[in-house]
Amino acid sequence: AILAPAAAAATLPSPLGRNNVGGKDFGGAPSAGGGQDDLGLRDKAPDTDTVTSALVYAWELNERKIPAAAYRLGELNPETAYVLKTVGVDQPPLLDGALEPKTPVAVVDTNNPAELPEGIVKAGIHSIVDHHKLSGLTNSEPLEIDMRPLCSATSILYARAKAANLTPPKHIAGLMLAGILSDSLEFRSPTTTEVDKVHAQELGKLAGLDVHTFAEGMLDAKAQVDHLTPMELLKTDSKVFTIGGKKLRVSVLETTKPAAPLGKQKALVDAMKALVAEEKIDDCLFFIVDILKEGATFVAGSDMATKIVESAWSVKVDKASGTVYLPGVLSRKKQMIPMLEAAAGKSELERSPAGRLAAGWRQARPYAPGAAPAAPCG
């Protein structure tokens, strides 16, 4: 089985079956049940790269004579639904419940156990294909890992296909292209590399799709959020991180029409407070990314959240509006989390005895370029 934070299945090159690969049974639907692992909060909101990379990796494994299928853990967002309809791939079956021990799985677009099904730590992990930082997933046996700093998991999978002399069929090429365009915001995100751009152009030709036209359709679909409740908006693209000893949910909403969600600000703040209480986390940070303007608006849900963002970006949240605009901020992975972690690290250092001593020294003897060194003490 192919499992991702939330994956999808479609028509695959070969039927599901049981096959022994490297000492592991691999293929067929994973069983529900098994032990309950306290891994934190799991979100059931798949994004486009997660879904498409699961489908693509299932294709690759089947090409390698390893029967495999992809599954989803939640409902598709409007952008992903548009992609599947455009490339002609059906919505997959839903996987629900925990995994049985030793269930064979391959993981794409994450290596964070908190983003995977319950029971994952006791599953038989066959392989991981990911483009995120290391996040704690462990395994009892050696496994295949392919992690690269490309903009999407599907970009990695296309590179793998090229290296193996595999030409993706039209619908698989379309899925690969969609993952790249979604995660890179049509090459606007700082996660985009020149390799990703080359891959996109090649995949557009293989899929018979105009890259820009396809991207515009995806962005239009992504902006269709009027039907979502404030709580659903917060969970559309959301992950929980432990930063500076605090458990923070960092939610991002990417849209070409930020005025619509901003018009629900009061309800969003109420939803953030309810989410913090319900999940027993320390806080929730919500960023609305304006794809076309290429910046993010932070919506403050609490005084703590306000202080965290002000410290990280050296800005002031407007008290009247409860927001602050962060120009150029588009990526949670490459910008938001690193900035939040850096600010937390600096705060911890300043609170430490060594940090207080250094701060006191700087205050007592400020640095002046060209000044003579202090006389030694004896």
Side-chain angles (χ1 to χ4, degrees):
I2 291 281
L3 293 178
T11 304
L12 298 175
S14 63
L16 292 177
R18 304 299 296 180
N19 184 34
N20 189 270
V21 180
K24 305 180 183 69
D25 277 338
F26 194 81
S31 304
Q36 301 293 310
D37 301 305
D38 184 17
L39 294 174
L41 305 164
R42 288 177 176 79
D43 297 305
K44 305 291 180 72
D47 68 16
T48 296
D49 187 43
T50 295
V51 173
T52 54
S53 61
L55 287 163
V56 170
Y57 196 29
W59 165 77
E60 179 195 308
L61 289 169
N62 279 283
E63 289 294 307
R64 291 165 52 188
K65 311 304 180 185
I66 304 172
Y71 292 83
R72 64 184 173 92
L73 301 182
E75 298 306 316
L76 305 182
N77 64 41
E79 180 192 61
T80 309
Y82 168 82
V83 167
L84 297 187
K85 181 178 179 180
T86 301
V87 302
V89 173
D90 295 331
Q91 179 167 308
L94 179 70
L95 176 68
D96 197 11
L99 300 174
E100 293 280 4
K102 300 300 181 181
T103 298
V105 298
V107 177
V108 293
D109 199 31
T110 188
N111 65 94
N112 185 344
E115 295 172 10
L116 289 159
E118 292 182 19
I120 188 64
V121 297
K122 296 179 182 178
I125 301 175
H126 169 271
S127 51
I128 300 172
V129 178
D130 192 19
H131 63 126
H132 297 89
K133 69 177 184 175
L134 294 171
S135 298
L137 186 59
T138 61
N139 195 44
S140 60
E141 300 177 10
L143 70 159
E144 178 183 324
I145 298 178
D146 193 340
M147 298 178 69
R148 312 187 197 187
L150 297 181
C151 80
S152 72
T154 59
S155 194
I156 298 172
L157 288 163
Y158 179 53
R160 290 167 61 89
K162 291 175 69 175
N165 293 316
L166 291 175
T167 300
K170 190 173 182 179
H171 72 289
I172 293 296
L175 292 171
M176 289 174 165
L177 175 60
I180 293 172
L181 293 176
S182 178
D183 267 19
S184 73
L185 301 178
E186 196 187 6
F187 317 125
R188 294 174 176 87
S189 172
T191 61
T192 309
T193 70
E194 291 304 313
V195 171
D196 297 312
K197 293 178 182 179
V198 171
H199 285 178
Q201 295 306 316
E202 293 176 356
L203 289 166
K205 293 176 182 177
L206 290 171
L209 293 168
D210 179 82
V211 173
H212 179 63
T213 301
F214 188 36
E216 282 192 324
M218 291 173 60
L219 292 176
D220 287 343
K222 191 191 287 277
Q224 296 173 15
V225 296
D226 289 345
H227 64 291
L228 299 178
T229 66
M231 188 65 77
E232 289 171 335
L233 287 172
L234 292 177
K235 291 186 174 183
T236 295
D237 184 2
S238 185
K239 295 184 179 183
V240 175
F241 300 85
T242 299
I243 300 175
K246 297 186 183 300
K247 187 172 283 188
L248 304 176
R249 177 174 287 281
V250 182
S251 299
V252 176
L253 179 66
E254 298 168 344
T255 180
T256 56
K257 301 175 182 178
L262 283 171
K264 301 179 180 180
Q265 184 174 343
K266 184 181 183 304
L268 284 167
V269 171
D270 291 341
M272 279 187 263
K273 292 177 179 177
L275 192 57
V276 169
E278 175 189 333
E279 296 183 336
K280 295 180 174 59
I281 56 178
D282 290 296
D283 219 326
C284 178
L285 309 184
F286 185 47
F287 299 86
I288 299 174
V289 171
D290 187 331
I291 298 170
L292 301 180
K293 195 175 177 182
E294 299 189 20
T297 297
F298 166 70
V299 178
S302 70
D303 290 340
M304 179 191 293
T306 295
K307 290 176 182 177
I308 290 172
V309 169
E310 287 182 339
S311 174
W313 277 274
S314 299
V315 294
K316 283 292 182 183
V317 173
D318 183 71
K319 291 184 179 180
S321 68
T323 65
V324 64
Y325 181 70
L326 305 172
V329 175
L330 296 169
S331 171
R332 175 175 52 207
K333 176 176 62 181
K334 199 160 186 176
Q335 294 173 305
M336 297 174 190
I337 299 306
M339 291 293 286
L340 293 170
E341 288 179 335
K346 180 181 177 183
S347 178
E348 289 176 1
L349 177 63
E350 290 175 347
R351 287 197 301 268
S352 70
R356 288 194 297 270
L357 178 62
W361 172 260
R362 288 194 301 271
Q363 184 175 3
R365 307 185 75 87
Y367 171 71
C377 296

